[in-house]
Amino acid sequence: MKAKNDRLEAIKMLASSKEIGSQEEMLQLLRKEGINVTQATLSRDMKQLKMAKAASMNGKYVYVLPNETMYKRVHKPMTALEMIQTPGFLSIHFSGNMVVVRTRPGYASSIAYNIDNSNTPEILGTIAGDDTIFMVVREGTTYEQVKESLSHLLTGIS
């Protein structure tokens, strides 16, 4: 499962930092990062990430992640493997039974997906954007309980 998660993160980081117009182009970029995958697997991964093609600023059709209306390009891109090793989680803030989690651009959907599928009883549900996750926690749950429940999913939470 870790290999798949790493691969999904690499795909997201490549799509967020480069204008990629074809699956073949994505396969080549992944290979340069040391990730060998078949076209069929890449296609399934991109479907899971809900990637689509959209016109970029220069009119070229490129793969984009959901909720990425203006394609956030990084000025000095890291390699996909460097990005994988850097956690997507940035911060967590509480207000009553609501929680806002900030992530790096492009990370919110996959982190929210992992939270929703972790069967954590303290968390009733999530809504994710590009770099923000909104969560509702069960009444009576302490902030420490939420942090403890999320600590196995989010690197850097304290």
Side-chain angles (χ1 to χ4, degrees):
M1 188 60 149
K2 177 143 175 48
K4 180 178 181 178
N5 287 337
D6 287 350
R7 189 175 67 244
L8 292 174
E9 292 303 316
I11 292 168
K12 288 192 306 187
M13 288 302 98
L14 287 169
S16 294
S17 63
K18 299 181 184 305
E19 291 190 346
I20 301 169
S22 70
Q23 288 188 5
E24 182 58 37
E25 207 176 325
M26 178 69 81
L27 284 170
Q28 290 172 5
L29 290 167
L30 288 168
R31 284 185 192 116
K32 284 182 185 176
E33 298 291 338
I35 300 170
N36 291 312
V37 62
T38 66
Q39 187 278 327
T41 299
L42 175 62
S43 183
R44 284 189 296 271
D45 288 348
M46 292 172 82
K47 184 176 181 179
Q48 180 180 338
L49 293 171
K50 295 183 170 74
M51 293 179 73
K53 275 195 166 180
S56 67
M57 297 295 202
N58 64 12
K60 177 182 172 189
Y61 279 85
V62 297
Y63 282 104
V64 294
L65 294 161
N67 303 319
E68 196 171 352
T69 52
M70 292 305 289
Y71 317 117
K72 298 177 182 173
R73 303 289 176 217
V74 217
H75 296 295
K76 186 182 172 208
M78 295 185 278
T79 67
L81 290 177
E82 288 173 325
M83 290 183 229
I84 288 169
Q85 294 166 352
T86 306
F89 167 78
L90 296 177
S91 65
I92 187 167
H93 301 282
F94 297 90
S95 180
N97 70 329
M98 297 179 291
V99 182
V100 174
V101 175
R102 300 291 298 189
T103 70
R104 291 186 14 218
Y107 274 72
S109 290
S110 63
I111 291 174
Y113 177 84
N114 289 339
I115 291 169
D116 288 338
N117 287 297
S118 69
N119 297 319
T120 305
E122 295 87 359
I123 299 168
L124 298 176
T126 65
I127 298 174
D130 182 54
D131 61 1
T132 305
I133 302 168
F134 174 78
M135 293 189 306
V136 176
V137 297
R138 192 171 304 284
E139 286 187 48
T141 303
T142 67
Y143 300 157
E144 289 308 313
Q145 287 173 312
V146 173
K147 286 182 179 181
E148 175 63 30
S149 294
L150 295 175
S151 65
H152 68 283
L153 295 171
L154 304 175
T155 304
I157 195 167
S158 57

